[in-house]
Amino acid sequence: MDSSGFDPSLPGIRLIQSWIREQRVLGIELNDGSRLDGRLAWQDPQYLALQREDSDDPVLINRLAVITIRPLI
């Protein structure tokens, strides 16, 4: 694992990276009960950058706020 705490060998990290490469549309459920849909632009140890259809700028989602991530298509 590198010094940033981001371990690309972990299965969850690898799966998210494959969804980013494939530009899959995802639904992300947050711990406040809300859900955001879009395509992930990138990830780092603390955040996921979600590109939504209705915005030019990505939404940064703190990983601690995420309950589930699932492909919609």
Side-chain angles (χ1 to χ4, degrees):
M1 184 159 80
D2 65 28
S3 62
S4 70
F6 193 70
D7 185 352
S9 71
L10 292 173
I13 301 293
R14 288 194 321 264
L15 180 57
I16 290 172
Q17 281 301 118
S18 73
W19 288 340
I20 292 170
R21 279 191 302 275
E22 297 165 7
Q23 287 295 287
R24 299 280 300 266
V25 177
L26 304 173
I28 299 178
E29 184 181 351
L30 304 177
N31 59 16
D32 67 359
S34 63
R35 188 177 105 178
L36 299 172
D37 298 341
R39 291 177 170 84
L40 288 177
W42 51 263
Q43 65 173 330
D44 69 19
Q46 293 182 348
Y47 291 97
L48 301 170
L50 185 70
Q51 188 65 54
R52 301 185 68 188
E53 296 288 329
D54 60 355
S55 176
D56 291 333
D57 296 319
V59 174
L60 293 181
I61 302 168
N62 189 299
R63 288 179 176 274
L64 298 176
V66 175
I67 295 177
T68 59
I69 304 172
R70 66 183 64 156
L72 297 179
I73 298 174

XYZ file of all heavy atoms in Angstrom:
585
model
N 0.856 -1.184 0.000
C 0.000 0.000 0.000
C 0.895 1.238 0.000
O 1.905 1.272 0.670
C -0.905 -0.033 1.225
C -1.886 1.096 1.264
S -3.316 0.787 2.310
C -2.684 1.113 3.914
N 0.484 2.269 -0.751
C 1.305 3.469 -0.791
C 1.024 4.351 0.428
O 0.140 4.094 1.217
C 1.128 4.221 -2.100
C -0.266 4.778 -2.308
O -0.951 5.063 -1.309
O -0.680 4.945 -3.461
N 1.797 5.419 0.581
C 1.701 6.256 1.771
C 0.402 7.052 1.854
O 0.079 7.582 2.908
C 2.899 7.200 1.829
O 2.886 8.050 0.702
N -0.364 7.149 0.764
C -1.619 7.904 0.786
C -2.766 7.124 1.406
O -3.815 7.675 1.669
C -2.009 8.313 -0.639
O -2.405 7.175 -1.377
N -2.586 5.814 1.622
C -3.662 4.994 2.143
C -4.576 4.463 1.061
O -5.555 3.802 1.337
N -4.249 4.722 -0.188
C -5.051 4.288 -1.325
C -4.397 3.042 -1.907
O -3.296 3.114 -2.442
C -5.085 5.411 -2.362
C -6.110 5.214 -3.442
C -7.453 5.317 -3.174
C -5.720 4.958 -4.742
C -8.395 5.176 -4.169
C -6.658 4.804 -5.746
C -7.988 4.915 -5.450
N -5.050 1.901 -1.765
C -4.464 0.634 -2.179
C -5.172 0.106 -3.423
O -6.246 -0.479 -3.327
C -4.559 -0.376 -1.037
C -3.866 -1.675 -1.335
O -3.415 -1.890 -2.483
O -3.775 -2.506 -0.424
N -4.593 0.305 -4.613
C -5.238 -0.120 -5.854
C -5.322 -1.628 -6.025
O -5.946 -2.101 -6.960
C -4.387 0.518 -6.954
C -3.075 0.776 -6.316
C -3.332 0.992 -4.857
N -4.735 -2.386 -5.105
C -4.854 -3.844 -5.197
C -6.147 -4.360 -4.551
O -6.514 -5.508 -4.743
C -3.648 -4.526 -4.541
O -3.703 -4.384 -3.128
N -6.849 -3.512 -3.820
C -8.095 -3.937 -3.169
C -9.193 -4.157 -4.213
O -9.319 -3.376 -5.160
C -8.553 -2.892 -2.158
C -7.658 -2.731 -0.935
C -8.123 -1.558 -0.091
C -7.635 -4.007 -0.112
N -9.995 -5.199 -4.047
C -11.031 -5.506 -5.042
C -12.032 -4.377 -5.263
O -12.437 -4.121 -6.394
C -11.734 -6.745 -4.495
C -10.914 -7.238 -3.370
C -9.961 -6.161 -2.972
N -12.431 -3.682 -4.214
C -13.389 -2.581 -4.365
C -12.815 -1.436 -5.175
O -13.506 -0.846 -6.010
N -11.546 -1.120 -4.939
C -10.878 -0.059 -5.693
C -10.770 -0.457 -7.160
O -11.037 0.344 -8.066
C -9.474 0.239 -5.113
C -9.556 0.675 -3.657
C -8.730 1.245 -5.974
C -10.227 1.995 -3.417
N -10.403 -1.715 -7.416
C -10.276 -2.191 -8.800
C -11.621 -2.169 -9.508
O -11.707 -1.790 -10.684
C -9.675 -3.598 -8.837
C -8.202 -3.615 -8.480
C -7.528 -4.924 -8.848
N -8.319 -6.116 -8.624
C -8.249 -6.893 -7.545
N -7.418 -6.602 -6.558
N -8.998 -7.963 -7.443
N -12.710 -2.563 -8.819
C -14.040 -2.551 -9.433
C -14.463 -1.123 -9.774
O -14.943 -0.860 -10.882
C -15.067 -3.201 -8.511
C -16.489 -3.260 -9.036
C -16.565 -3.991 -10.371
C -17.403 -3.905 -8.017
N -14.255 -0.194 -8.850
C -14.602 1.201 -9.130
C -13.782 1.718 -10.308
O -14.310 2.411 -11.179
C -14.424 2.075 -7.872
C -15.503 1.718 -6.846
C -14.489 3.552 -8.219
C -15.323 2.372 -5.497
N -12.491 1.371 -10.368
C -11.661 1.795 -11.501
C -12.204 1.250 -12.820
O -12.204 1.950 -13.829
C -10.209 1.340 -11.313
C -9.416 2.212 -10.375
C -9.345 3.652 -10.804
O -9.808 4.536 -10.094
N -8.770 3.933 -11.947
N -12.692 0.009 -12.816
C -13.254 -0.547 -14.057
C -14.525 0.199 -14.445
O -14.760 0.459 -15.624
C -13.513 -2.047 -13.929
O -14.628 -2.328 -13.112
N -15.352 0.592 -13.463
C -16.552 1.373 -13.767
C -16.180 2.745 -14.322
O -16.859 3.256 -15.212
C -17.421 1.530 -12.527
C -18.119 0.266 -12.103
C -18.366 -0.836 -12.870
C -18.662 -0.009 -10.820
N -19.032 -1.790 -12.130
C -19.228 -1.303 -10.862
C -18.711 0.694 -9.626
C -19.850 -1.893 -9.773
C -19.330 0.093 -8.535
C -19.895 -1.164 -8.621
N -15.108 3.340 -13.818
C -14.646 4.623 -14.346
C -14.201 4.458 -15.796
O -14.588 5.247 -16.663
C -13.509 5.199 -13.470
C -14.055 5.608 -12.100
C -12.839 6.386 -14.165
C -12.986 5.959 -11.079
N -13.403 3.436 -16.070
C -12.918 3.205 -17.441
C -14.075 2.952 -18.404
O -14.070 3.437 -19.533
C -11.969 2.000 -17.479
C -10.565 2.319 -17.049
C -9.624 1.175 -17.360
N -10.004 -0.077 -16.747
C -9.697 -0.445 -15.509
N -8.989 0.337 -14.734
N -10.089 -1.611 -15.037
N -15.077 2.182 -17.960
C -16.226 1.829 -18.799
C -17.256 2.959 -18.884
O -18.215 2.870 -19.650
C -16.912 0.582 -18.251
C -16.044 -0.656 -18.269
C -16.602 -1.782 -17.410
O -17.749 -1.660 -16.901
O -15.888 -2.781 -17.243
N -17.095 3.996 -18.054
C -18.052 5.109 -17.987
C -19.463 4.607 -17.679
O -20.452 5.058 -18.263
C -18.021 5.941 -19.268
C -16.783 6.798 -19.386
C -16.758 7.857 -18.284
O -17.518 8.813 -18.331
N -15.902 7.697 -17.293
N -19.556 3.666 -16.740
C -20.850 3.116 -16.324
C -21.661 4.166 -15.577
O -21.114 4.953 -14.802
C -20.648 1.920 -15.379
C -19.893 0.747 -15.952
C -20.714 -0.162 -16.817
N -21.827 -0.783 -16.198
C -21.805 -1.993 -15.635
N -20.701 -2.694 -15.594
N -22.902 -2.495 -15.124
N -22.967 4.172 -15.799
C -23.868 5.024 -15.027
C -24.118 4.317 -13.700
O -24.516 3.146 -13.671
C -25.193 5.278 -15.775
C -26.130 6.105 -14.917
C -24.924 5.971 -17.104
N -23.868 5.034 -12.616
C -23.965 4.454 -11.278
C -24.986 5.192 -10.435
O -25.221 6.386 -10.633
C -22.602 4.541 -10.580
C -21.422 3.913 -11.298
C -20.131 4.239 -10.568
C -21.599 2.419 -11.426
N -25.559 4.481 -9.489
C -26.372 5.080 -8.444
C -25.601 4.979 -7.147
O -25.173 3.899 -6.763
N -25.407 6.113 -6.486
C -24.670 6.147 -5.224
C -25.630 6.561 -4.130
O -26.198 7.655 -4.163
C -23.478 7.115 -5.305
C -22.513 6.655 -6.400
C -22.776 7.205 -3.946
C -21.326 7.564 -6.606
N -25.847 5.656 -3.170
C -26.726 5.941 -2.037
C -25.880 6.459 -0.892
O -24.846 5.878 -0.543
C -27.476 4.683 -1.607
C -28.465 4.931 -0.502
C -29.190 3.670 -0.064
O -29.049 2.629 -0.723
O -29.882 3.739 0.956
N -26.330 7.573 -0.309
C -25.588 8.213 0.773
C -26.229 7.911 2.120
O -27.401 7.539 2.196
C -25.526 9.725 0.539
C -24.933 10.148 -0.801
C -24.988 11.656 -0.944
C -23.522 9.629 -0.960
N -25.455 8.096 3.186
C -25.958 7.751 4.520
C -27.074 8.666 5.014
O -27.702 8.370 6.028
C -24.819 7.665 5.541
C -24.028 8.939 5.674
O -24.454 10.004 5.243
N -22.850 8.830 6.263
N -27.384 9.749 4.298
C -28.537 10.579 4.665
C -29.812 10.129 3.942
O -30.847 10.767 4.049
C -28.267 12.064 4.390
C -28.147 12.398 2.909
O -28.252 11.493 2.055
O -27.945 13.596 2.609
N -29.718 9.028 3.173
C -30.877 8.490 2.471
C -31.024 8.989 1.049
O -31.867 8.495 0.308
N -30.233 9.961 0.639
C -30.339 10.477 -0.721
C -29.564 9.588 -1.687
O -28.736 8.767 -1.285
C -29.831 11.922 -0.789
O -28.467 11.984 -0.468
N -29.856 9.771 -2.987
C -29.152 9.018 -4.014
C -28.756 9.956 -5.135
O -29.540 10.807 -5.556
C -30.031 7.898 -4.576
C -29.240 6.983 -5.508
C -30.070 5.854 -6.000
N -30.421 6.141 -7.384
C -31.112 5.337 -8.149
N -31.582 4.207 -7.664
N -31.381 5.650 -9.391
N -27.521 9.789 -5.607
C -27.016 10.555 -6.736
C -26.690 9.584 -7.859
O -26.130 8.517 -7.614
C -25.752 11.325 -6.344
C -25.897 12.355 -5.236
C -24.532 12.882 -4.835
C -26.802 13.486 -5.680
N -27.051 9.957 -9.088
C -26.760 9.131 -10.258
C -25.800 9.872 -11.169
O -25.858 11.102 -11.287
C -28.046 8.832 -11.045
C -29.054 8.040 -10.235
O -28.668 7.411 -9.238
O -30.240 8.050 -10.607
N -24.939 9.124 -11.825
C -24.009 9.712 -12.776
C -22.858 8.768 -13.065
O -22.906 7.584 -12.734
N -21.817 9.318 -13.669
C -20.616 8.548 -14.002
C -19.456 9.068 -13.165
O -19.284 10.278 -13.025
C -20.284 8.717 -15.485
C -21.281 8.051 -16.387
C -20.929 8.313 -17.866
N -21.729 7.498 -18.734
C -22.948 7.785 -19.151
N -23.518 8.909 -18.767
N -23.610 6.978 -19.945
N -18.661 8.148 -12.628
C -17.502 8.564 -11.850
C -16.404 9.047 -12.786
O -16.078 8.393 -13.778
C -16.980 7.417 -10.994
C -17.847 7.042 -9.793
C -17.258 5.835 -9.076
C -17.991 8.204 -8.842
N -15.833 10.192 -12.456
C -14.730 10.750 -13.226
C -13.396 10.267 -12.657
O -12.467 9.976 -13.410
C -14.784 12.274 -13.213
N -13.286 10.190 -11.332
C -12.076 9.718 -10.674
C -12.381 9.400 -9.222
O -13.453 9.705 -8.711
C -10.931 10.724 -10.785
C -11.246 12.135 -10.368
C -11.599 13.164 -11.196
C -11.260 12.678 -9.045
N -11.815 14.300 -10.465
C -11.610 14.038 -9.141
C -11.003 12.159 -7.783
C -11.720 14.869 -8.028
C -11.108 12.982 -6.680
C -11.462 14.328 -6.812
N -11.392 8.773 -8.580
C -11.474 8.490 -7.148
C -10.108 8.734 -6.528
O -9.080 8.641 -7.195
C -11.931 7.056 -6.891
C -10.958 6.000 -7.379
C -11.359 4.605 -6.970
O -11.981 4.400 -5.929
N -11.017 3.625 -7.797
N -10.127 9.078 -5.246
C -8.901 9.159 -4.466
C -9.214 8.580 -3.085
O -10.334 8.093 -2.871
C -8.331 10.584 -4.455
C -9.152 11.601 -3.676
O -9.979 11.218 -2.822
O -8.957 12.799 -3.912
N -8.286 8.587 -2.155
C -8.558 7.947 -0.859
C -9.734 8.543 -0.089
O -10.339 7.860 0.726
C -7.256 8.136 -0.077
C -6.214 8.249 -1.120
C -6.870 8.976 -2.261
N -10.082 9.804 -0.345
C -11.160 10.429 0.417
C -12.432 10.710 -0.375
O -13.505 10.748 0.207
C -10.673 11.744 1.021
C -9.614 11.532 2.070
C -9.175 12.841 2.697
O -9.485 13.926 2.214
N -8.456 12.743 3.788
N -12.306 10.904 -1.688
C -13.459 11.358 -2.464
C -13.677 10.553 -3.737
O -12.750 10.002 -4.317
C -13.289 12.835 -2.877
C -13.363 13.774 -1.722
C -12.201 14.229 -1.110
C -14.585 14.199 -1.226
C -12.265 15.091 -0.027
C -14.648 15.060 -0.151
C -13.491 15.504 0.451
O -13.558 16.351 1.517
N -14.948 10.560 -4.160
C -15.358 10.092 -5.480
C -15.868 11.327 -6.217
O -16.609 12.130 -5.640
C -16.493 9.070 -5.365
C -16.204 7.824 -4.548
C -17.485 7.042 -4.328
C -15.159 6.977 -5.225
N -15.473 11.488 -7.469
C -15.951 12.618 -8.277
C -17.027 12.093 -9.217
O -16.744 11.325 -10.129
C -14.807 13.234 -9.062
N -18.271 12.488 -8.978
C -19.411 12.016 -9.757
C -19.820 13.077 -10.765
O -20.157 14.216 -10.395
C -20.592 11.707 -8.831
C -21.803 11.089 -9.512
C -21.507 9.657 -9.949
C -23.006 11.134 -8.592
N -19.791 12.717 -12.035
C -20.231 13.611 -13.106
C -21.699 13.336 -13.373
O -22.058 12.256 -13.828
C -19.408 13.377 -14.374
C -19.663 14.390 -15.451
C -19.223 15.778 -15.030
O -18.087 15.986 -14.640
N -20.134 16.727 -15.096
N -22.545 14.312 -13.074
C -23.987 14.164 -13.272
C -24.369 14.712 -14.631
O -23.700 15.588 -15.179
C -24.733 14.886 -12.158
C -24.330 14.308 -10.788
C -25.107 14.893 -9.685
N -26.489 14.434 -9.824
C -27.485 14.892 -9.101
N -27.279 15.833 -8.210
N -28.699 14.427 -9.271
N -25.455 14.214 -15.180
C -25.929 14.645 -16.498
C -26.310 16.117 -16.522
O -26.148 16.779 -17.533
C -27.150 13.804 -16.915
C -26.866 12.333 -17.105
C -26.051 12.046 -18.353
O -26.186 12.787 -19.338
O -25.266 11.081 -18.333
N -26.795 16.642 -15.399
C -27.328 18.005 -15.352
C -26.299 19.058 -14.956
O -26.654 20.192 -14.647
C -28.523 18.064 -14.401
C -28.175 17.669 -12.973
O -27.013 17.257 -12.714
O -29.058 17.751 -12.106
N -24.997 18.698 -14.958
C -23.977 19.648 -14.532
C -22.678 19.448 -15.307
O -22.327 18.325 -15.666
C -23.707 19.462 -13.036
O -22.662 20.304 -12.615
N -21.978 20.545 -15.535
C -20.661 20.463 -16.174
C -19.568 20.120 -15.164
O -18.526 19.594 -15.530
C -20.311 21.787 -16.853
C -21.190 22.064 -18.064
O -21.683 21.095 -18.676
O -21.385 23.253 -18.378
N -19.798 20.450 -13.902
C -18.812 20.215 -12.851
C -19.157 18.962 -12.060
O -20.331 18.710 -11.766
C -18.766 21.404 -11.895
C -18.301 22.669 -12.585
O -17.355 22.585 -13.398
O -18.886 23.730 -12.320
N -18.153 18.191 -11.675
C -18.432 16.996 -10.883
C -18.822 17.349 -9.445
O -18.486 18.417 -8.936
C -17.108 16.228 -10.906
C -16.064 17.253 -11.148
C -16.725 18.328 -11.972
N -19.536 16.426 -8.813
C -19.875 16.522 -7.398
C -18.873 15.647 -6.659
O -18.669 14.485 -7.023
C -21.308 15.986 -7.144
C -21.621 15.946 -5.666
C -22.332 16.802 -7.896
N -18.227 16.209 -5.627
C -17.314 15.416 -4.815
C -18.083 14.781 -3.670
O -18.795 15.468 -2.932
C -16.186 16.287 -4.258
C -15.213 16.847 -5.271
C -14.132 17.660 -4.565
C -14.587 15.751 -6.108
N -17.936 13.463 -3.548
C -18.639 12.705 -2.513
C -17.596 12.102 -1.582
O -16.717 11.352 -2.032
C -19.489 11.581 -3.140
C -20.492 12.167 -4.133
C -20.181 10.774 -2.053
C -21.166 11.121 -4.990
N -17.694 12.420 -0.314
C -16.792 11.843 0.666
C -17.102 10.349 0.793
O -18.263 9.961 0.932
C -16.960 12.540 2.016
C -15.911 12.122 2.999
O -15.797 10.957 3.358
N -15.131 13.089 3.438
N -16.075 9.529 0.737
C -16.273 8.080 0.822
C -17.009 7.661 2.094
O -17.737 6.678 2.082
C -14.928 7.355 0.768
C -14.291 7.369 -0.583
C -12.949 6.649 -0.514
N -12.346 6.548 -1.814
C -12.594 5.579 -2.686
N -13.446 4.628 -2.393
N -11.996 5.572 -3.853
N -16.831 8.403 3.189
C -17.489 8.059 4.449
C -19.000 8.243 4.390
O -19.725 7.694 5.209
C -16.906 8.885 5.591
C -15.425 8.675 5.881
C -14.962 9.636 6.978
C -15.130 7.234 6.252
N -19.494 8.997 3.417
C -20.926 9.244 3.277
C -21.620 8.192 2.416
O -22.842 8.167 2.341
C -21.165 10.624 2.680
N -20.859 7.307 1.784
C -21.410 6.342 0.831
C -21.854 5.063 1.538
O -21.113 4.478 2.328
C -20.377 6.012 -0.270
C -20.885 4.926 -1.188
C -20.018 7.257 -1.052
N -23.094 4.642 1.225
C -23.584 3.354 1.710
C -23.433 2.297 0.629
O -22.890 1.222 0.883
C -25.064 3.452 2.162
C -25.174 4.365 3.366
C -25.630 2.072 2.455
C -26.581 4.592 3.840
N -23.932 2.598 -0.578
C -23.835 1.638 -1.681
C -23.525 2.370 -2.989
O -23.900 3.528 -3.166
C -25.121 0.823 -1.897
O -26.198 1.713 -2.167
C -25.459 -0.049 -0.706
N -22.859 1.640 -3.867
C -22.628 2.094 -5.243
C -23.034 0.928 -6.126
O -22.548 -0.190 -5.939
C -21.147 2.425 -5.510
C -20.633 3.466 -4.528
C -20.958 2.880 -6.949
C -19.128 3.712 -4.612
N -23.918 1.196 -7.076
C -24.326 0.105 -7.974
C -24.529 0.617 -9.384
O -24.988 1.738 -9.587
C -25.573 -0.591 -7.473
C -26.808 0.257 -7.465
C -27.962 -0.482 -6.884
N -27.623 -0.758 -5.505
C -28.471 -0.966 -4.547
N -29.743 -0.961 -4.780
N -28.091 -1.191 -3.303
N -24.171 -0.214 -10.358
C -24.418 0.144 -11.765
C -25.917 0.221 -12.032
O -26.688 -0.605 -11.532
C -23.783 -0.985 -12.560
C -22.855 -1.665 -11.616
C -23.443 -1.476 -10.250
N -26.330 1.194 -12.829
C -27.736 1.342 -13.175
C -28.037 0.741 -14.542
O -29.180 0.456 -14.860
C -28.142 2.821 -13.157
C -28.021 3.496 -11.794
C -28.428 4.957 -11.893
C -28.863 2.775 -10.756
N -27.020 0.593 -15.376
C -27.237 0.033 -16.719
C -26.345 -1.166 -16.898
O -25.231 -1.189 -16.478
C -26.928 1.082 -17.806
C -27.860 2.263 -17.656
C -27.042 0.470 -19.187
C -27.567 3.423 -18.574
